[in-house]
Amino acid sequence: MRGGGVDQAFQVDLRGVVDLLSRHLYSSPRVYLRELLQNAVDAITARGAGGGTVRIETGGGLRVHDDGIGLTEEEVHRLLATIGRSSKRDELGFARHDFLGQFGIGLLSGFLVADEIEVVTRSAKAGAPAVRWTGFADGRYRVEPGERDEPGTTVTLKARPGSAELLSPEIVRELARSYGSLLPVELTVDGAPVTGGGPPWTVAHADPARRRRALDAYCRELYGFDPFDVIDLDVPEAGLTGVAFVLPQPVAPAARGAHRVYLKRMLLAESVEGLLPEWAFFVRCVVDAGELRPTASREALYEDELLEATRQALGERLRQWLVRLSETDPARLRAFLRLHQLGVKAMALQDDDMLRIVDRWLEFETSAGPMTLAEFRRRHADARYVTSVEEFRRLSAVAGAQGVGLVNGGYVHDTEIIERLPAVDPDAALPRLDPAELTTHLGVLDPAAELALRPFLAAARRAVERLGCEVVVRDFDPPSLPALYVTSRAAQHQAELEEAREMADGLWADVLGALNGAVQADRPQLVLNHRNPLARRVTSLTEEGLVELAVQGLYGQALLYGQHPLRPADTAALNRSFLGLLEWAMHTPDAEAGESK
């Protein structure tokens, strides 16, 4: 077509819009009552008379009555018949934070459970007549004179087939209590009151113990547990008040905390995520906020700068509670740390005060038993730490016996905490242990014994030469340990490079080979314990073949004891030594004499 076009209005398929709401916006059709309550409370707020009443009746369909500001006929056409129209709060010029919902989309939620919605309303403006608006799920609506003596609105729903249960008295009472029990209006269902004294955390008690008992009971009602402690929350810029209930049992840090959030005392959702920092998984919160924004479905919080600031402020409140606990009730702090140490450790990675609390109060696994880092440093001037649980288990007994205190840094956040401690206390530096250091703490033999062992050592070194290992004899505790496999971090790195080179293709094998050649590291050592009776008997052997089998057997045992990974060459040596020693035992003179009998 040539020339200017003609503007056309979009045609809206109301059934399609309702299907979109039910499948993609709202999580459940049960939210219909929340939307109706929001509209009623907003109408009461707009009238500005204070107080207000919302009555819900369930006989012969659902009716929601309010004594709010009501609508004129012109407003009915503008606000109820145009999908996506600006909210009533904007039309009437009120501040955004005064209202809960939005008339247009909110009223459409009634079509989730009904095929017909009737609204009878009368504006509070002087002389305004009552108006009846009837909307149908097929997209039609009708406006006609209505009957109502006082300003306000009545919304009536007639259940569609299959939705009658959602409008039943039992379900309506349950939904009204869930969504509206804290509303600042008088809310009743079939004459029975739903609203009471407001948020429990705002109820004043002359006796703090009585208030705590009331909040404990509230926590049991909501979550089914008695809280370890209750923390009051207050973020003025978000208009937020509430309480955090500290969980009385451990919880997995990966589980995101879900919190009960009210907006202007209307329930937003029971399981809102993202309200607190991720490390604060040890609390469950119930809060009411006046300034935080909901998402379009009004079942979650909109991620913006205010929510981020609120999240940080709530995290700071939890941090202050912990600091105060450390100053006023150390025994209770220790009990808390035993339950929720992972959350506190996560805080300590970013917060200096939390780091000091962890250093002073949180027990770590050490070679001297469970102990705080501060106490361990006082007791062990030559303290070290290792970065894995396996390495700690391998070396702690030997290190402890030689007077080298060892801290296990292999659990979540432990190594990062140990390495961050000098940031708050330069004297708290704790060096990392290089396993090769241990050999410098092991006792050496006297010169005569060392000289006598030279032939054995020569044969022993030949036995493990192709395994990339050296053999030394030392005198150390515990005497029950016959041999110890010790490798430095540089040697481990070199071994990993060699293993990667063997598995790589030609080009990468050459590159890794060049890197491997550039690394000069001490070879791993098999340290035989001269205090162990078996090791001493092995060092007294003179037959080279038997020395080879025995030393390779001790080598394999040391690898298994230390939980070192076994290479194919290690496994072959271990099998060879086992079978060789078994065959040697079966051919000893005593064994042959037994066979002859």
Side-chain angles (χ1 to χ4, degrees):
M1 177 184 297
R2 297 180 181 274
V6 178
D7 290 341
Q8 302 288 333
F10 282 105
Q11 300 298 312
V12 177
D13 179 358
L14 187 57
R15 288 189 182 276
V17 172
V18 172
D19 181 70
L20 182 66
L21 293 177
S22 62
R23 294 179 183 272
H24 301 290
L25 184 62
Y26 298 125
S27 61
S28 166
R30 294 165 64 94
V31 301
Y32 80 91
L33 189 64
R34 182 196 66 193
E35 299 297 308
L36 297 181
L37 285 175
Q38 285 179 338
N39 285 344
V41 174
D42 279 350
I44 292 171
T45 302
R47 188 171 185 182
T53 301
V54 179
R55 294 181 293 108
I56 300 176
E57 299 173 354
T58 60
L62 180 78
R63 288 178 298 282
V64 180
H65 309 274
D66 71 67
D67 54 3
I69 195 170
L71 299 174
T72 65
E73 181 176 352
E74 189 270 335
E75 288 168 346
V76 163
H77 282 283
R78 221 172 48 239
L79 298 175
L80 301 187
T82 305
I83 297 172
R85 184 73 176 183
S86 299
S87 67
K88 182 175 182 180
R89 61 190 173 215
D90 296 326
E91 289 286 328
L92 301 179
F94 288 90
R96 173 174 291 271
H97 64 77
D98 289 335
F99 294 87
L100 295 170
Q102 181 167 329
F103 268 36
I105 295 296
L107 187 62
L108 284 180
S109 67
F111 288 120
L112 299 176
V113 295
D115 285 330
E116 178 180 324
I117 301 175
E118 179 188 85
V119 178
V120 177
T121 182
R122 182 171 185 169
S123 174
K125 295 178 180 178
V131 180
R132 174 183 286 107
W133 176 92
T134 307
F136 304 92
D138 61 7
R140 296 177 296 114
Y141 76 92
R142 180 171 61 244
V143 179
E144 56 191 331
E147 295 182 4
R148 186 180 179 95
D149 295 332
E150 300 295 330
T153 301
T154 297
V155 178
T156 302
L157 303 182
K158 296 179 181 179
R160 68 152 58 102
S163 297
E165 183 181 3
L166 290 173
L167 274 67
S168 66
E170 297 79 10
I171 296 299
V172 170
R173 281 194 294 269
E174 174 194 339
L175 294 177
R177 283 194 300 269
S178 178
Y179 288 118
S181 61
L182 301 186
L183 285 172
V185 300
E186 181 184 347
L187 172 62
T188 62
V189 176
D190 293 331
V194 173
T195 49
W201 57 88
T202 63
V203 178
H205 288 288
D207 181 8
R210 182 183 173 193
R211 179 177 185 269
R212 172 61 189 270
R213 288 193 297 271
L215 290 175
D216 285 351
Y218 182 59
C219 181
R220 283 194 300 273
E221 179 185 352
L222 288 183
Y223 296 120
F225 64 80
D226 286 304
F228 178 88
D229 206 347
V230 179
I231 306 169
D232 285 304
L233 304 175
D234 183 18
V235 184
E237 58 267 34
L240 182 146
T241 64
V243 285
F245 298 113
V246 181
L247 293 167
Q249 68 278 329
V251 61
R256 293 178 61 87
H259 310 285
R260 190 179 185 93
V261 175
Y262 293 82
L263 293 185
K264 305 175 193 68
R265 294 169 62 171
M266 171 74 77
L267 179 67
L268 178 72
E270 296 177 329
S271 300
V272 175
E273 297 183 353
L275 179 67
L276 296 181
E278 290 187 3
W279 51 258
F281 55 82
F282 51 83
V283 296
R284 294 293 177 267
C285 295
V286 184
V287 301
D288 177 49
E291 301 298 332
L292 295 180
R293 294 172 55 195
T295 58
S297 67
R298 290 192 284 282
E299 295 175 350
L301 292 172
Y302 185 79
E303 192 69 43
D304 58 11
E305 292 182 0
L306 181 57
L307 178 57
E308 175 61 25
T310 301
R311 186 183 298 125
Q312 296 303 319
L314 293 176
E316 175 64 16
R317 183 68 188 86
L318 298 181
R319 187 191 69 82
Q320 291 172 357
W321 169 76
L322 280 170
V323 172
R324 187 176 67 252
L325 207 60
S326 70
E327 296 170 348
T328 60
D329 198 345
R332 191 160 178 77
L333 175 65
R334 291 191 187 97
F336 169 80
L337 291 176
R338 284 193 293 270
L339 288 173
H340 301 298
Q341 57 177 284
L342 287 179
V344 178
K345 286 180 181 179
M347 282 191 285
L349 298 182
Q350 306 295 330
D351 186 273
D352 289 349
D353 285 338
M354 287 299 101
L355 186 61
R356 294 185 183 95
I357 287 177
V358 167
D359 183 39
R360 184 179 177 188
W361 299 107
L362 184 62
E363 291 184 339
F364 283 65
E365 186 177 13
T366 78
S367 55
M371 196 176 301
T372 68
L373 292 176
E375 178 66 18
F376 190 72
R377 291 194 306 274
R378 283 194 294 269
R379 295 190 184 187
H380 298 82
D382 197 20
R384 297 286 190 276
Y385 77 95
V386 292
T387 60
S388 72
V389 175
E390 293 76 14
E391 191 174 18
F392 175 80
R393 292 173 179 169
R394 182 165 68 238
L395 299 176
S396 60
V398 177
Q402 316 315 312
V404 179
L406 205 58
V407 178
N408 184 0
Y411 295 113
V412 177
H413 301 317
D414 284 5
T415 290
E416 294 92 330
I417 286 172
I418 293 170
E419 292 176 347
R420 213 177 85 79
L421 272 173
V424 297
D425 182 3
D427 295 331
L430 201 64
R432 179 179 174 183
L433 176 73
D434 190 324
E437 290 181 50
L438 276 181
T439 57
T440 64
H441 293 271
L442 304 180
V444 297
L445 305 183
D446 62 76
E450 187 83 39
L451 183 62
L453 288 177
R454 281 188 177 179
F456 165 79
L457 286 172
R461 286 164 180 162
R462 288 192 293 271
V464 293
E465 176 72 26
R466 60 180 176 274
L467 298 173
C469 185
E470 294 181 348
V471 179
V472 296
V473 180
R474 294 290 185 268
D475 190 88
F476 60 91
D477 288 325
S480 59
L481 184 66
L484 180 69
Y485 181 82
V486 177
T487 179
S488 66
R489 289 198 295 273
Q492 291 174 348
H493 178 64
Q494 187 173 13
E496 291 168 359
L497 278 177
E498 180 62 28
E499 182 178 359
R501 188 180 67 83
E502 292 175 357
M503 298 174 60
D505 57 24
L507 175 61
W508 285 109
D510 291 341
V511 173
L512 293 172
L515 290 174
N516 195 19
V519 177
Q520 299 296 325
D522 296 332
R523 303 180 77 188
Q525 290 184 330
L526 177 65
V527 185
L528 304 182
N529 187 2
H530 200 254
R531 293 190 186 180
N532 178 267
L534 176 61
R536 281 201 306 274
R537 289 184 64 183
V538 169
T539 60
S540 67
L541 297 175
T542 57
E543 182 181 337
E544 181 156 347
L546 187 55
V547 169
E548 179 179 2
L549 295 175
V551 170
Q552 289 180 353
L554 289 175
Y555 171 81
Q557 187 270 345
L559 289 178
L560 293 174
Y561 171 81
Q563 300 182 8
H564 295 281
L566 295 180
R567 301 168 299 173
D570 299 330
T571 303
L574 184 59
N575 291 337
R576 185 167 55 250
S577 67
F578 173 76
L579 296 175
L581 289 172
L582 184 61
E583 183 178 357
W584 178 84
M586 294 176 63
H587 286 82
T588 60
D590 290 341
E592 292 175 355
E595 289 178 358
S596 65
K597 294 179 181 180

